[in-house]
């Protein structure tokens, strides 16, 4: 054990509410039992089998109200792995559930035996036929796929609100649709073909002309069974009519029985059945979509009505006018969404019954958009709208920023309302559809039913298609509250089916919470055909039992998860998973959602529980050490949960008083520390020539084992040499800004072998050329943005340096009269925002009057208009840093790059590099994992320049790609050099 290994007990929850009735039992503290663990490791390899108790717990939750802890988690890399697991399950009478993003709202991504992760190694898109089709891997998010298609003016039909996180495999498996898909643009209608692995291991590519012939040889009983069901359905005219009628509105309850009517062969039937099958019939390993035109000309309006029925009554008018989306948000939804960044604060004061419609028209060109605007105006004239708060305009707009704000509020429905629920309650998301003409009537009935059962649910949804969602919160630890929920569900399902002949699940798929009501909606004849379909395709019941079909009338009440209180910053989390794609450690250890899930399980346990101790033992590395602390999870989370901040707090908890004191001393004496660091870097730069990189790496690796990996950096050959001891001379008189070279640029030099000035010299030069000279104070040495201490959780040192830099900046800028230009994006973020909580009251007042400007923004906004571009490079690839995302500066980085290069590319998979100051040296495996996909894009072709805006991020990308990254300001200096 390393000498300074932190005590896991310091992260023990401060208030343990357990033992909870749904806690993981003590006998599972050892993780995956034998012989399951050993057999799977021998079959697949140790790196593909997750068996620790912490692994099982973190995979036990998804976005639903359910929680089932698997026996083991398999990370499948390819179809061979999937086939091997299925074969093993058949031979051992075990069960298999596939999980991708885990954004499902009904427990579809949870299993009680073997859970197979089919996200990590299953991402990728191939654009076909100029964008008219796309071949997509099932672990690819909808947002990532659409980013690739947008360059061709195309888009996918399905557009779920969870597009940032949900994957195409899950979208197809649930027939998820979204705001505009309706019944004509969903997966069932726009899927060209798919490749699937059947429970018996047979692989079927439905686009293969020989697929039916090969399937008949491999699975004759399956082919016969499907054709027999088709024959029975087609022989029953009443059933055929019923099936066709059911799909005139959105419906994902049960299997797609119209697949038997639309398909003529077993393969064609399978293609349809797989859509919405929730992983119960096979694994979807690849999909090919027919894409749709991306109409870029928009006009949108957010219109406020006095009540939910009044808003619903207006929906048919906009449908007739040609709106592509008519989204409804009730008063509870609107008020809860004030927690979403950019939503007007005065929405919190909206009257209880106020309801809004978000209406959008899309057109291919300006002429068509003008026609849409005329039709929208005609509808508006006949509406009785209300404007109960000043921000309400009740007008249509073309402004992209305003429209994006509307959609941000709408897409945050589940998370915003969930975040506002009472602490400790479980969130249920229901999803139903009625004929659009009866939407207003259904809304009135729903409100009455809620009141009858004591619920005040939030309602939103795709009103254009008669599809509404509503959220209920109840305490799953209280039997009386569970009974209240059960009574409501029974009454709601009967209301939807018997009064409205509606769909109990319109787009979220059947899942665990609607499986018991399947027969209520479809009747015994159709339901039995669904059971037969399952037996024909999966006769041994290997795949996802109880997720879509379940004869237990109380199945929807089994596995409801409690939500114990955790740290305040994380307590609003509803475990939706929106944060996961942006997390640098997603493919290495844990995600923000999983970090919170693990904390909740700790809280469920009783003191001294072996499960609790096992979770604490793993949490240090899996959650705390390998968190980059970049807080991009906060940007992805609709309610701004900052799990990175929580991990920094845990780092602080692990520090001994002696460590805290040493860090504070380093802050107070930072001038000497900085000088010593520069000397050490200079010496280290020369050592490899004498002893070699291998020896240095070995020495540091040994030291890391003896001391602690989170304290001793690993030697990396990509670490740059030392910066010049002196900064370039400047004059205070006539300066248009104060230039603050960040300590990282005062210690480390530029890219090795690249001729030209240093970054400080370049920024001084281009500012002078633009007639906007800058001044570097002589006493910058010894100051810092405080991020060094902030990122590691050293609160005392952070406080010392935060106050020092603000006091210094106040003096340098003459009380805020000049802007302070900072040449590293993370340091800009640190000074502009992250220091604030650690300032004294007096210094907080000073900080409010400072103008902190990133050097890239300074160059784009102030210098570029005054500079002459004399030369450009052919192509440049950009790495926007995570700090730039927080600051909103990505557009300025692109502007600078576009001035310097004929072609500028931002990789679709660009994300946080996780180098995070020195974390990439403390845990190189974190940066390697975080950058893998972006690096693959970058190295797939040649670029003339590789540009970014933070020295250590550039080092991280150097290491990831083998290409030399440097500041975009260096390229701007070269482009404008006389």
């Amino acid at each position: 054990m390393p000498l300074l290994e932190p005590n896991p007990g310091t992260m023990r929850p401060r208030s343990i509410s357990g033992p909870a009735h749904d806690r993981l039992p003590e006998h599972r503290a050892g993780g995956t039992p034998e012989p399951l663990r050993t057999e799977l490791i021998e079959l697949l390899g140790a790196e593909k089998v997750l068996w620790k108790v912490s692994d099982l717990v973190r995979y036990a939750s998804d976005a639903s109200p359910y929680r089932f802890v698997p026996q083991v988690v398999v990370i499948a890399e390819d179809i061979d792995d999937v086939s091997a697991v299925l074969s093993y399950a058949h031979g051992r009478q075990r069960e298999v559930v596939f999980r991708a993003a885990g954004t499902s709202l009904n427990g579809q991504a949870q299993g009680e035996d073997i859970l197979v992760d089919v996200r990590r190694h299953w991402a990728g898109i191939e654009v076909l036929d100029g964008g008219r089709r796309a071949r997509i891997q099932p672990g690819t998010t909808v947002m990532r796929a659409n980013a690739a298609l947008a360059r061709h003016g195309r888009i996918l039909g399905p557009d779920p609100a969870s597009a940032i996180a949900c994957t195409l495999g899950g979208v197809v498996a649930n027939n998820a649709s979204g705001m505009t898909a309706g019944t004509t643009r969903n997966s069932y209608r726009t899927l060209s073909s798919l490749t699937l692995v059947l429970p018996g291991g047979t692989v079927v590519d439905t686009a293969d002309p020989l697929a039916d012939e090969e399937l008949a040889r491999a699975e004759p009983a399956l082919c016969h069974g499907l054709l027999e069901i088709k024959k029975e359905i087609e022989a029953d005219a009443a059933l055929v009519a019923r099936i066709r009628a059911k799909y005139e509105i959105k419906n994902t309850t049960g299997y797609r029985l119209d697949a038997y009517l639309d398909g003529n062969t077993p393969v064609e039937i399978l293609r349809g059945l797989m859509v919405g099958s929730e992983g119960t019939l096979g694994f979807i390993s690849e999909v090919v979509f027919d894409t749709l035109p991306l109409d870029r000309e928009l006009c949108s309006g957010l219109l406020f009505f006095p009540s939910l029925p009044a808003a619903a009554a207006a929906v048919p008018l906009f449908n007739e006018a040609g709106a592509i989306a008519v989204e409804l948000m009730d008063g509870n939804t609107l008020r809860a969404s004030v927690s979403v960044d950019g939503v007007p604060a005065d929405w919190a004061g909206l009257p209880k019954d106020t309801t809004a419609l978000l209406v959008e028209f899309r057109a291919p060109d300006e002429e068509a958009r003008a026609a849409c605007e005329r039709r929208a105006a005609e509808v508006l004239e006949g509406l009785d709208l209300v404007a109960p708060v000043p921000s309400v305009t009740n007008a249509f707009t073309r402004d992209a920023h305003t429209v994006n704000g509307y959609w941000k509020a709408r897409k945050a429905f589940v998370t915003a309302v969930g975040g506002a629920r009472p602490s400790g309650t479980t969130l249920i998301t229901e999803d139903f559809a009625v004929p659009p003409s009866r939407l207003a009537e259904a809304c009135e009935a729903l409100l009455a039913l809620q009141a009858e059962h004591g619920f005040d649910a939030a309602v939103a949804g795709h009103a254009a298609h008669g599809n509404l969602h509503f959220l209920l919160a109840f305490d799953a630890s209280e039997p009386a509250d569970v009974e209240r929920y059960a009574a409501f569900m029974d009454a709601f399902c009967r209301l939807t089916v018997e009064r409205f002949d509606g769909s109990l699940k319109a787009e979220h798929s059947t899942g665990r919470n609607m499986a018991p009501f399947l027969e209520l909606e479809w009747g015994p004849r159709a339901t039995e055909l669904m059971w037969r379909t399952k037996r024909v395709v999966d006769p041994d019941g290997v795949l996802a039992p109880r997720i879509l079909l379940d004869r237990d009338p109380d199945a929807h009440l089994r596995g409801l998860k409690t939500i114990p209180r955790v740290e305040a910053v994380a307590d609003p989390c509803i475990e939706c998973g929106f944060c996961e794609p942006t997390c640098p450690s997603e493919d290495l250890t844990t995600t923000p959602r999983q970090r919170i899930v693990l904390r909740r399980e700790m809280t469920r346990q009783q003191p001294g529980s072996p499960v609790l101790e096992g979770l604490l033992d793993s949490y240090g590395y899996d959650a705390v050490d390998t968190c980059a602390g970049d807080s991009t999870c906060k940007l992805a989370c609709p309610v701004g949960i900052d799990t990175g901040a929580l991990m920094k707090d845990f780092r602080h908890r692990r520090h001994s008083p002696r460590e805290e004191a040493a860090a504070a001393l380093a802050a107070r004496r930072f001038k000497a520390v900085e000088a010593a660091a520069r000397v050490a870097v200079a010496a280290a730069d020369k050592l490899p020539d004498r002893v070699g990189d291998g020896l240095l790496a070995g020495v540091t690796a040994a030291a890391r084992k003896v001391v602690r990996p989170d304290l001793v950096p690993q030697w990396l050959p990509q670490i740059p040499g030392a910066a010049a001891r002196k900064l370039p001379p400047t004059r205070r008189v006539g300066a248009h800004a104060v230039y603050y070279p960040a300590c990282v640029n005062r210690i480390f030099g530029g890219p090795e072998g690249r001729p030209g000035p240093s970054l400080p010299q370049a920024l001084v030069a281009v500012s002078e050329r633009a007639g906007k000279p800058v001044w570097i104070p002589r006493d910058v040495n010894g100051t810092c943005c405080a991020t060094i201490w902030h990122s590691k959780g050293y609160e005392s040192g952070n406080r010392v340096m935060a106050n020092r830099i603000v006091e210094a900046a106040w003096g340098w800028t003459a009380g805020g009269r000049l802007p302070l230009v900072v040449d590293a994006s993370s340091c800009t973020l640190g000074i502009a925002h992250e220091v604030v909580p650690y300032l004294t009251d007096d210094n907080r007042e000073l900080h409010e009057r400072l103008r902190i400007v990133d050097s890239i923004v300074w160059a784009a906004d102030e210098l570029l208009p005054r500079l002459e571009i004399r030369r450009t490079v052919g192509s440049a690839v950009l790495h926007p840093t995570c700090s730039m995302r927080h600051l909103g500066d990505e557009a300025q980085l692109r502007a600078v790059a576009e001035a310097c290069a004929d072609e500028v590319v931002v990789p679709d998979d660009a994300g946080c590099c996780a180098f995070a100051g020195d974390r990439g040296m403390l845990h190189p495996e974190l940066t390697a994992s975080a950058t893998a996909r972006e690096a693959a894009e970058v190295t797939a072709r040649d670029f003339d320049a590789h540009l970014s805006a933070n020295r250590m991020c550039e080092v991280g990308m150097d290491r990831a790609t083998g290409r030399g990254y440097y500041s975009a300001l260096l390229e701007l200096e070269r482009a404008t050099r006389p």
Side-chain angles (χ1 to χ4, degrees):
M1 178 181 290
L3 296 176
L4 298 180
E5 186 71 13
N7 178 9
T10 58
M11 293 181 293
R12 195 177 304 276
R14 290 169 176 170
S15 60
I16 294 183
S17 60
H21 76 271
D22 63 337
R23 70 189 183 280
L24 189 67
E26 291 188 3
H27 73 266
R28 300 201 59 185
T32 301
E34 295 292 0
L36 177 61
R37 172 183 162 188
T38 297
E39 288 177 348
L40 284 176
I41 288 175
E42 290 176 350
L43 178 68
L44 301 167
E47 72 283 358
K48 298 178 184 178
V49 179
L50 303 182
W51 58 268
K52 294 188 305 181
V53 64
S54 60
D55 293 325
L56 307 185
V57 168
R58 67 188 173 96
Y59 272 92
S61 293
D62 59 11
S64 78
Y66 298 98
R67 179 173 173 272
F68 293 96
V69 182
Q71 294 290 327
V72 68
V73 177
V74 170
I75 308 297
E77 287 191 6
D78 50 34
I79 284 181
D80 289 342
D81 286 345
V82 171
S83 296
V85 170
L86 291 175
S87 176
Y88 174 84
H90 273 286
R92 301 297 194 281
Q93 291 77 53
R94 306 201 73 105
E95 300 166 354
V96 177
V97 169
F98 299 111
R99 176 187 176 116
T103 55
S104 297
L105 295 166
N106 300 317
Q108 299 99 309
Q110 297 179 35
E112 300 173 74
D113 195 3
I114 301 174
L115 187 69
V116 183
D117 182 314
V118 290
R119 179 203 56 80
R120 185 179 300 185
H121 298 292
W122 298 83
I125 175 171
E126 180 186 2
V127 177
L128 307 170
D129 302 335
R132 289 186 295 277
R133 294 189 305 138
R135 187 186 310 278
I136 309 172
Q137 301 302 303
T140 309
T141 66
V142 174
M143 179 175 285
R144 172 65 176 84
N146 278 334
L149 288 169
R151 290 192 289 272
H152 302 270
R154 308 291 291 186
I155 194 171
L156 294 174
D159 63 336
S162 57
I164 187 177
C166 69
T167 59
L168 267 301
V171 167
V172 174
N174 290 285
N175 197 20
S177 48
M179 278 69 69
T180 65
T183 58
T184 59
R185 296 162 60 108
N186 61 19
S187 294
Y188 189 80
R189 299 300 177 192
T190 61
L191 188 68
S192 173
S193 67
L194 54 78
T195 301
L196 64 135
V197 184
L198 290 168
T202 302
V203 178
V204 180
D205 178 359
T206 65
D208 186 344
L210 300 177
D212 273 296
E213 181 181 326
E214 294 172 356
L215 183 62
R217 282 197 299 267
E219 306 264 3
L222 182 150
C223 293
H224 176 75
L226 293 179
L227 292 176
E228 282 297 306
I229 296 175
K230 174 180 173 63
K231 185 184 301 183
E232 286 186 35
I233 292 175
E234 291 180 335
D236 187 336
L239 181 58
V240 169
R242 178 64 177 156
I243 291 171
R244 291 300 189 193
K246 288 294 292 178
Y247 292 111
E248 288 179 1
I249 62 173
K250 294 174 70 170
N251 190 328
T252 60
T253 313
Y255 292 125
R256 289 283 311 208
L257 290 182
D258 56 346
Y260 287 106
L261 302 176
D262 298 331
N264 295 314
T265 70
V267 167
E268 291 177 0
I269 294 170
L270 269 178
R271 189 213 71 87
L273 284 172
M274 289 298 295
V275 179
S277 63
E278 304 176 59
T280 62
L281 301 180
F283 167 60
I284 300 171
S285 65
E286 184 178 87
V287 293
V288 178
F289 271 94
D290 292 322
T291 65
L292 301 170
L294 175 58
D295 292 333
R296 301 180 188 271
E297 302 298 326
L298 313 178
C299 71
S300 307
L302 189 62
L303 313 176
F304 288 73
F305 295 80
S307 68
L308 181 60
V315 172
L317 303 177
F318 286 109
N319 283 345
E320 293 169 7
I324 192 169
V326 184
E327 295 292 298
L328 182 146
M329 294 178 278
D330 77 341
N332 286 338
T333 302
L334 294 166
R335 288 187 294 274
S337 65
V338 297
S339 61
V340 178
D341 184 42
V343 170
D346 63 6
W347 284 14
L350 287 168
K352 183 181 186 304
D353 294 333
T354 302
T355 302
L357 291 181
L358 171 53
V359 183
E360 183 161 287
F361 293 83
R362 299 179 187 172
D365 53 44
E366 173 59 33
E367 181 180 355
R369 176 165 65 175
C372 290
E373 290 172 332
R374 288 191 295 272
R375 294 196 300 273
E378 291 172 3
V379 176
L380 274 183
E381 289 179 3
L383 299 179
D384 292 324
L385 302 175
V386 296
V389 295
S391 67
V392 172
T393 63
N394 287 324
F396 279 83
T397 179
R398 298 181 172 191
D399 181 69
H401 178 75
T402 302
V403 172
N404 288 339
Y406 292 161
W407 281 110
K408 191 173 182 181
R410 168 60 189 92
K411 292 180 179 181
F413 165 60
V414 174
T415 48
V417 174
R421 77 195 188 285
S423 182
T425 57
T426 297
L427 190 71
I428 297 281
T429 306
E430 288 305 333
D431 157 52
F432 72 107
V434 298
S437 61
R438 302 189 68 186
L439 184 63
E441 180 188 355
C443 287
E444 290 181 341
L446 176 61
L447 292 175
L449 191 65
Q450 290 175 12
E452 179 184 341
H453 291 269
F455 286 109
D456 185 18
V459 181
H462 318 308
H465 310 293
N467 174 200
L468 292 184
H469 311 311
F470 61 91
L471 303 180
L472 305 174
F474 68 98
D475 190 343
S477 67
E478 292 291 336
D481 230 19
V482 174
E483 289 179 10
R484 181 168 66 105
Y485 162 67
F488 172 83
M489 280 298 296
D490 185 68
F492 162 71
C493 290
R494 293 193 179 280
L495 172 72
T496 303
V497 172
E498 295 172 359
R499 179 170 169 181
F500 296 101
D501 194 19
S503 305
L504 293 174
K505 283 296 175 187
E507 62 176 1
H508 293 170
S509 219
T510 314
R512 297 178 183 272
N513 69 330
M514 209 50 71
F517 301 98
L518 182 62
E519 187 169 329
L520 173 66
E521 176 175 337
W522 276 98
R525 173 86 170 104
T527 302
E528 185 54 36
L529 289 172
M530 294 182 189
W531 279 96
R532 279 182 58 191
T533 297
K534 172 66 171 174
R535 290 193 296 270
V536 165
V537 180
D538 183 18
D540 295 327
V542 168
L543 289 180
R546 308 192 72 171
I547 284 179
L548 189 148
L549 298 171
D550 199 327
R551 298 195 192 276
D552 179 1
D554 294 326
H556 60 303
L557 306 179
R558 190 176 75 94
L560 289 170
K561 65 184 174 188
T562 60
I563 305 292
R565 291 173 175 84
V566 291
E567 288 77 8
V569 66
D571 197 54
C573 176
I574 63 165
E575 301 173 10
C576 68
F578 283 22
C579 56
E580 293 190 336
T582 193
C583 179
S585 58
E586 178 188 27
D587 292 337
L588 179 67
T589 50
T590 57
T591 67
R593 169 169 61 176
Q594 292 174 339
R595 291 175 169 99
I596 295 171
V597 163
L598 289 166
R599 291 300 287 178
R600 285 177 170 159
E601 180 58 32
M602 293 179 198
T603 307
R604 291 187 185 99
Q605 297 292 322
Q606 58 187 347
S609 157
V611 171
L612 174 59
E613 299 307 314
L615 296 177
L616 287 169
D617 285 344
S618 298
Y619 203 75
Y621 176 77
D622 288 351
V624 181
D625 292 346
T626 51
C627 173
D630 67 326
S631 293
T632 51
C633 50
K634 178 182 178 180
L635 299 177
C637 175
V639 294
I641 295 173
D642 190 348
T643 313
L646 179 60
M647 296 304 107
K648 292 169 189 173
D649 180 59
F650 288 150
R651 290 171 188 167
H652 171 66
R653 290 191 202 179
R654 296 194 305 178
H655 296 154
S656 67
R658 182 174 296 179
E659 286 178 288
E660 281 287 329
L665 180 63
R668 286 192 290 270
R669 300 183 177 177
F670 189 63
K671 187 171 185 177
V673 171
E674 178 185 337
R678 190 186 305 108
V679 170
V681 169
D685 189 42
K686 297 177 182 178
L687 273 177
D689 295 335
R690 301 176 181 177
V691 300
D693 287 321
L695 179 58
L696 287 172
V699 170
T700 55
R704 285 158 57 82
K705 290 181 180 179
V706 172
V707 181
R708 181 170 129 204
D710 211 46
L711 289 178
V712 179
Q714 174 70 48
W715 170 259
L716 302 177
Q718 291 81 10
I719 298 301
R725 290 183 63 253
K726 292 185 178 181
L727 293 165
T730 56
R731 290 171 53 84
R732 183 169 191 170
V733 176
H736 284 242
V738 177
Y739 170 26
Y740 180 67
C743 66
V744 67
N745 293 320
R746 303 194 306 262
I747 294 172
F748 293 103
E752 184 178 354
R754 187 179 188 280
S758 66
L759 177 58
Q761 289 171 335
L763 183 51
V764 169
V766 292
S767 298
E768 188 72 38
R769 286 173 201 160
K772 293 261 187 174
V774 294
W775 169 63
I776 302 175
R778 293 183 179 180
D779 57 345
V780 293
N781 292 334
T783 62
C784 173
C785 66
T787 299
I788 295 173
W789 293 268
H790 177 66
S791 65
K792 296 178 182 298
Y794 288 113
E795 286 196 5
S796 298
N798 191 8
R799 207 171 297 280
V800 168
M801 190 55 74
N803 284 281
R804 179 186 297 173
I805 186 60
V806 169
E807 291 166 3
W810 179 257
W812 295 333
T813 62
R817 282 191 286 273
L818 290 176
L820 184 73
V821 176
V822 185
D823 67 0
S825 58
S826 60
C827 302
T828 308
L829 179 66
I831 300 174
H833 299 286
E834 292 176 345
V835 301
V836 174
Y838 303 92
L839 299 176
T840 64
D841 290 342
D842 289 344
N843 283 341
R844 193 171 288 118
E845 289 185 16
L846 301 184
H847 184 273
E848 289 176 356
R849 295 167 64 180
L850 294 176
R851 288 180 291 157
I852 315 299
V853 180
D854 189 76
S855 57
I856 294 293
V857 175
W858 171 253
D861 295 351
E862 301 295 334
L863 307 185
L864 264 183
R866 298 170 175 83
L867 290 170
E868 179 185 355
I869 303 299
R870 298 173 178 270
R871 59 193 66 83
T872 59
V873 295
S875 61
V877 63
L878 304 186
H879 174 71
T881 69
C882 51
S883 298
M884 301 191 83
R885 289 188 59 199
H886 283 284
L887 293 165
D889 294 349
E890 293 170 284
Q892 284 89 342
L893 176 63
R894 178 180 279 276
V896 171
E898 288 177 343
C900 304
D902 301 329
E903 177 196 12
V904 173
V905 173
V906 177
D908 290 332
D909 285 314
C912 176
C913 69
F915 210 84
D918 64 352
R919 194 140 299 267
M921 293 183 280
L922 297 172
H923 297 287
E925 71 278 13
L926 176 60
T927 290
S929 178
T931 57
R933 292 179 183 174
E934 181 178 357
E937 280 192 76
V938 171
T939 56
R941 56 163 288 189
D942 292 328
F943 292 97
D944 298 312
H946 300 75
L947 308 178
S948 190
N950 188 289
R951 190 69 194 100
M952 299 319 290
C953 296
E954 292 155 15
V955 171
M957 291 306 298
D958 286 354
R959 179 170 173 78
T961 65
R963 312 288 173 86
Y965 276 76
Y966 54 93
S967 172
L969 295 179
L970 293 176
E971 192 59 43
L972 181 63
E973 189 282 327
R974 191 196 72 85
T976 60
R977 193 181 304 162

